[in-house]
Amino acid sequence: MTTTPAQGWRVKLYQLNGDGQWDDRGTGSISVTQLDVFGGPGVLVKSEEGGRDLLQSRILEDREAYSLQGENIITWEERLSSAGSVDLALSFQENEGCLHIWNQIQEVQGNYAVGGGGEGNMFFAGRDDDDIIGPTYEGRYELKDLPECRLNNLEQIRDQLICPPMHRENLAGKLVHGNSSYLK
């Protein structure tokens, strides 16, 4: 059984910018812990420089919200309450730490399936203490069957095709293998 180091696992936090590049938001230690601000479990990253919080993020219920990239990166998208979403990535110094945190996230999500988890939230502190983004997860995305391919259904089709990046591959597969009327 893996034990979290007393200071937490060392991790770099990245945020995807508008140009599709990952911006370094800082290095710190990560833990999955009870976050009072959300009244539930979340991911906490404390900066190596001064110990301030780089990230407080409630663990999202959606099992597909998080993606494990290789053995040392976890990515996810959080919806902002007012303006779009934020793509975040955690790059771990040690593969063991990444897998440990990944398993803890999965465990929390399993508890949501049993007891319900409510809405997720996130506070993100940038390099300056007053640079805080406070997104709110607005619910999980559900991949539904697309309506019949007709002109009067275009608005519904468009709304369903606008999906989080992590669901695009599933949607493409559904289009290719499911309703062939979309691909003629």
Side-chain angles (χ1 to χ4, degrees):
M1 179 174 188
T2 304
T3 306
T4 305
Q7 73 281 7
W9 298 100
R10 190 163 193 256
V11 67
K12 261 191 177 292
L13 176 63
Y14 294 94
Q15 180 179 348
L16 192 64
N17 67 28
D19 296 328
Q21 301 295 314
W22 290 100
D23 292 333
D24 182 350
R25 303 301 289 188
T27 302
S29 60
I30 186 172
S31 60
V32 172
T33 187
Q34 180 73 18
L35 296 175
D36 293 335
V37 69
F38 305 126
V43 174
L44 175 65
V45 178
K46 289 205 166 279
S47 174
E48 286 181 339
E49 298 173 14
R52 67 181 173 84
D53 292 349
L54 289 175
L55 175 75
Q56 290 185 10
S57 175
R58 181 173 171 95
I59 295 175
L60 306 175
E61 291 182 54
D62 184 357
R63 283 225 178 261
E64 295 182 17
Y66 298 90
S67 178
L68 185 61
Q69 307 290 322
E71 295 181 351
N72 67 338
I73 297 175
I74 297 173
T75 61
W76 75 101
E77 175 189 43
E78 293 222 25
R79 298 209 177 271
L80 303 172
S81 57
S82 59
S85 63
V86 168
D87 290 309
L88 299 171
L90 297 166
S91 177
F92 289 76
Q93 182 175 10
E94 299 175 23
N95 295 349
E96 181 182 15
C98 181
L99 296 175
H100 182 79
I101 295 297
W102 176 258
N103 289 333
Q104 287 184 316
I105 290 170
Q106 298 295 302
E107 183 179 326
V108 169
Q109 288 178 321
N111 290 337
Y112 280 151
V114 172
E119 289 187 344
N121 295 306
M122 178 184 74
F123 292 115
F124 176 79
R127 296 205 182 276
D128 301 317
D129 285 63
D130 58 359
D131 180 21
I132 296 175
I133 302 169
T136 300
Y137 180 70
E138 296 175 344
R140 42 181 191 216
Y141 179 79
E142 187 178 332
L143 193 59
K144 300 177 184 174
D145 288 331
L146 291 170
E148 188 177 352
C149 188
R150 299 182 132 190
L151 189 58
N152 62 344
N153 291 337
L154 284 180
E155 189 173 331
Q156 284 180 291
I157 294 167
R158 181 205 62 204
D159 291 344
Q160 285 186 243
L161 292 177
I162 298 172
C163 65
M166 65 208 128
H167 296 289
R168 290 182 186 148
E169 187 173 320
N170 290 341
L171 181 59
K174 194 167 194 164
L175 287 172
V176 169
H177 300 294
N179 189 344
S180 62
S181 67
Y182 285 91
L183 301 173
K184 288 187 177 183

